């Protein structure tokens, strides 16, 4: 069987490395929040808002709200909780806790990657939408 290099990394990486990666995720989710706020303002600009078809604008705004509240905020809270778990893992001598932490980290890594792809697709959609009506 072929092994997944990222999974191998998570099995071998130090807890400090995983901690650093989690801190990067927090920064990334903060940036995503800022981006979503920018896109909301862009879509709600009074002069261009009148040019957008109501139904299409509503659909894009619904997707924005879903991404922000259902995805970005949720994953950010999970990463923050994951960071709090790290302190317990460091204090513990149990390998079971560390294995659980690494498994959670792996799942968060996959979820962060998936959300990043969704945000990239959303940005393309907004850019296309704005260009179409301006």
């Amino acid at each position: 069987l072929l092994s997944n290099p990222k999974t191998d990394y998570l099995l071998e990486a130090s807890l400090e490395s995983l901690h650093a990666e989690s801190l990067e995720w927090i920064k990334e989710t903060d940036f995503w929040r800022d981006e979503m706020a920018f896109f909301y303002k862009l879509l709600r600009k009074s002069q261009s808002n009148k040019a957008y078809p109501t139904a299409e604008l509503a659909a894009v705004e619904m997707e924005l709200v879903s991404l922000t509240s259902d995805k970005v905020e949720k994953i950010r809270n999970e990463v923050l909780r994951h960071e709090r778990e790290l302190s317990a893992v460091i204090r513990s001598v149990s390998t079971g806790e560390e294995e659980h932490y690494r498994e959670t980290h792996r799942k968060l890594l996959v979820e962060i990657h998936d959300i990043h792809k969704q945000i990239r697709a959303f940005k393309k959609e907004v850019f296309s939408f704005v260009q179409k009506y301006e």
Side-chain angles (χ1 to χ4, degrees):
L1 293 172
L2 295 175
S3 65
N4 180 337
K6 199 63 163 176
T7 302
D8 292 344
Y9 157 75
L10 290 175
L11 293 174
E12 298 170 12
S14 69
L15 291 176
E16 292 81 12
S17 297
L18 300 181
H19 169 65
E21 187 170 44
S22 295
L23 293 179
E24 282 301 313
W25 293 343
I26 292 168
K27 290 177 189 174
E28 185 72 15
T29 58
D30 287 343
F31 180 71
W32 290 342
R33 292 159 105 186
D34 292 343
E35 277 187 317
M36 295 301 114
F38 168 79
F39 286 125
Y40 182 78
K41 287 177 186 175
L42 176 68
L43 293 170
R44 300 308 291 169
K45 273 175 47 178
S46 59
Q47 68 263 26
S48 52
N49 194 5
K50 295 176 180 130
Y52 300 148
T54 306
E56 288 182 50
L57 178 61
V60 172
E61 285 180 341
M62 288 280 287
E63 189 173 351
L64 185 144
V65 168
S66 174
L67 269 172
T68 304
S69 61
D70 295 344
K71 305 283 183 179
V72 174
E73 290 301 318
K74 181 178 175 252
I75 193 70
R76 186 175 193 286
N77 290 333
E78 288 178 20
V79 172
L80 290 171
R81 185 177 18 227
H82 182 62
E83 273 297 289
R84 286 189 297 271
E85 288 176 14
L86 177 60
S87 64
V89 169
I90 290 172
R91 287 190 309 254
S92 171
V93 292
S94 167
T95 57
E97 283 188 46
E98 185 173 336
E99 288 173 11
H100 175 73
Y101 178 82
R102 289 177 184 277
E103 178 62 25
T104 301
H105 195 89
R106 186 191 64 74
K107 288 177 183 175
L108 288 170
L109 175 70
V110 170
E111 197 169 343
I112 289 278
H113 180 71
D114 289 345
I115 293 170
H116 184 73
K117 287 189 329 190
Q118 291 173 356
I119 287 174
R120 207 172 325 136
F122 175 76
K123 288 192 286 191
K124 286 181 181 179
E125 181 181 342
V126 170
F127 294 149
S128 174
F129 179 78
V130 170
Q131 286 179 336
K132 182 178 176 181
Y133 296 106
E134 289 201 358

